[in-house]
Amino acid sequence: MPDPSAPLSPPLPDPHTQPHAFLRGLFEAAVRSAQPLHGLAAALPAPPRGRTLVLGAGKAAGAMAQALEALWPADAPLSGLVVTRYGHIPPRSAGLPQRIEVTEAAHPVPDAASEAAAQRMLALVQASRLTADDLVLFLVSGGGSALLALPVEGLTLQDKQRISRALLASGANIAEMNCVRKHLSRIKGGRLALACTPAPVCTLAISDVPGDDPAVIASGPTVPDASSCAEVLEIVRRYGIALPQSLRQGLESGVLETPKPGAAAFAKNIVRLIATPWQALQAAAQAARGAGIAAHVLSDAIEGESREVAKVHAALARSVAQRGAPFAAPCVLLSGGETTVTVHPRAAGDLPGRGGRAGEFCLALAQALQGAPNIWALAADTDGIDGSESNAGAWVAPDTLARAARAGLRVAEHLARNDSWGFFSALDDLLVTGPTYTNVNDFRALLVL
């Protein structure tokens, strides 16, 4: 993980002689810019007359809590509970007091610890007997949907896990998945904010979603929800996701509707973004330009199937390399967002594929580039974990297909079973960083020399 105290744009290796190291340096610049300590100071409200209760959820929640403890006045009351992914609590700085409890749970599919954390959070709010003189600070980042799992009445944790797995394999985008999650939860979709009234809630968010919509980040526990039960029914119909009959009846009747914009409970609440995908891509672009390489940020909000997005990126990179259009080489093409992977049915006896969005992008990119010279690429998840594996992403180089052929690896076969991890692991082309303690979602960089 990059040191968050290091300069945001340290010198990068020469891309002509060390293309992999150069691309990794861009990734690290993006991740470094999204560390909570960099954005939190300017976003913090003043301490209230009463107490400050801190709640939070997400892959960056542990780092956000530590940054808040370092920045909050030592003599101002501060306590609370946040939940992060297993293994995503950063090392504590020497001498930093712990005023906020940090617990861990599972991602991307919730577990019993996810349910317990949500139950404890609501119980803490109730026990605190908050008043209008108090303040709730909600620290949220991507991953919070799985980490705070409190199913509605009549829905078991096992039901929630099954629905979560089906959504993850369906190809649904993040807004669609979180629309479903909000309506099946007793804490998401603004319900946590309702529990905190009459205390105002200040939501401090690290965005991992296209468009930076706070209602989508971690399924928006503290912000109103404009989506509807009818949309949930349409989404599950579209992707063929089975629901228990009692749950379907609750959606059809509107009993499971979420709090909407304009509700009085949200009148004094505020939301502040402390890190976004666009800021991270701009940090990477600045680092590239500092090394003398032109940088072009295509978008921070690209969605769609990872393998289809890869084809478009490959076509653009080949056009740059062959025609000098729409950009002149040398340059780097940067993009972010949140792509999806539809898991394909397996034949009887086939082992399940391993890997995530970034790996599938790289697998399809290598196939589309067909060994084109002078093009290198890195795709990775900025939280350091691509899907459920231990790698952040993978590399593609002009010799990727040639080395794969010598190793007996066939791209088409690995794509057919969604096994990007197996392909790039065999080539020793996985990017492994460990948890980065932030999350601004997909990072893609294509270097054309």
Side-chain angles (χ1 to χ4, degrees):
M1 187 200 87
D3 179 0
S5 64
L8 287 183
S9 298
L12 295 180
D14 184 346
H16 298 276
T17 58
Q18 302 180 71
H20 280 197
F22 173 80
L23 289 170
R24 178 162 185 159
L26 297 185
F27 174 75
E28 292 180 348
V31 168
R32 193 179 297 110
S33 74
Q35 290 298 316
L37 197 60
H38 292 312
L40 197 58
L44 285 179
R49 286 190 293 178
R51 301 159 295 165
T52 300
L53 177 66
V54 180
L55 308 172
K59 298 174 189 174
M64 295 173 81
Q66 288 191 16
L68 176 59
E69 288 175 334
L71 295 168
W72 201 251
D75 58 351
L78 187 72
S79 64
L81 171 69
V82 305
V83 57
T84 192
R85 183 177 180 166
Y86 293 122
H88 283 243
I89 301 176
R92 282 194 85 74
S93 300
L96 181 64
Q98 183 168 353
R99 296 183 275 177
I100 304 165
E101 181 185 352
V102 183
T103 188
E104 296 173 302
H107 182 277
V109 177
D111 65 355
S114 309
E115 187 173 37
Q119 290 172 331
R120 286 188 59 201
M121 203 168 288
L122 285 180
L124 178 59
V125 169
Q126 185 176 17
S128 297
R129 299 183 183 277
L130 297 166
T131 73
D133 288 332
D134 298 323
L135 172 66
V136 175
L137 292 177
F138 186 61
L139 310 178
V140 64
S141 65
S145 293
L147 298 168
L148 277 183
L150 194 57
V152 294
E153 295 294 338
L155 188 70
T156 67
L157 177 62
Q158 291 71 31
D159 290 331
K160 193 74 176 287
Q161 290 171 328
R162 178 186 59 77
I163 294 169
S164 293
R165 292 189 183 98
L167 283 167
L168 289 166
S170 70
N173 65 36
I174 188 62
E176 291 171 325
M177 286 194 287
N178 286 359
C179 175
V180 176
R181 288 163 167 163
K182 283 185 279 191
H183 288 82
L184 307 190
S185 172
R186 285 184 279 154
I187 196 168
K188 302 184 182 80
R191 293 185 175 96
L192 179 59
L194 291 187
C196 293
T197 55
V201 179
C202 175
T203 298
L204 301 169
I206 293 179
S207 172
D208 72 323
V209 301
D212 303 329
D213 184 353
V216 179
I217 302 169
S219 300
T222 56
V223 295
D225 174 40
S227 70
S228 68
C229 288
E231 289 178 69
V232 176
L233 290 167
E234 171 57 25
I235 290 166
V236 298
R237 182 204 63 77
R238 185 183 312 140
Y239 295 106
I241 296 169
L243 298 179
Q245 185 57 34
S246 61
L247 186 63
R248 181 172 292 277
Q249 290 172 347
L251 291 166
E252 290 172 346
S253 68
V255 169
L256 299 180
E257 200 52 271
T258 48
K260 300 305 175 195
F266 303 103
K268 295 183 179 180
N269 294 356
I270 59 174
V271 178
R272 292 172 179 166
L273 297 174
I274 68 169
T276 68
W278 180 256
Q279 292 169 350
L281 291 172
Q282 289 299 318
Q286 179 182 350
R289 292 165 187 147
I293 296 294
H296 307 283
V297 179
L298 305 179
S299 173
D300 67 336
I302 293 176
E303 298 182 87
E305 284 288 326
S306 287
R307 58 182 66 192
E308 299 304 320
V309 172
K311 292 176 184 176
V312 175
H313 280 65
L316 183 57
R318 295 185 73 156
S319 178
V320 170
Q322 296 170 3
R323 300 182 178 87
F327 310 114
C331 70
V332 64
L333 310 177
L334 300 167
S335 73
E338 179 155 351
T339 59
T340 53
V341 173
T342 300
V343 178
H344 298 277
R346 299 191 304 274
D350 281 357
L351 294 175
R354 300 171 63 184
R357 301 187 308 263
E360 180 126 336
F361 172 91
C362 288
L363 199 55
L365 184 75
Q367 184 183 57
L369 286 174
Q370 285 296 302
N374 303 320
I375 301 175
W376 288 260
L378 169 65
D381 196 316
T382 52
D383 66 4
I385 306 294
D386 184 29
S388 58
E389 302 304 327
S390 60
N391 64 303
W395 312 92
V396 175
D399 65 348
T400 295
L401 292 186
R403 289 187 293 117
R406 290 195 294 271
L409 302 171
R410 293 177 174 82
V411 173
E413 291 179 2
H414 284 265
L415 272 173
R417 61 176 187 267
N418 304 109
D419 188 32
S420 60
W421 188 93
F423 182 89
F424 289 108
S425 177
L427 295 179
D428 197 24
D429 278 346
L430 295 175
L431 171 67
V432 179
T433 64
T436 65
Y437 311 117
T438 190
N439 181 20
V440 285
N441 232 317
D442 298 347
F443 174 90
R444 293 175 291 269
L446 279 71
L447 174 65
V448 186
L449 296 177

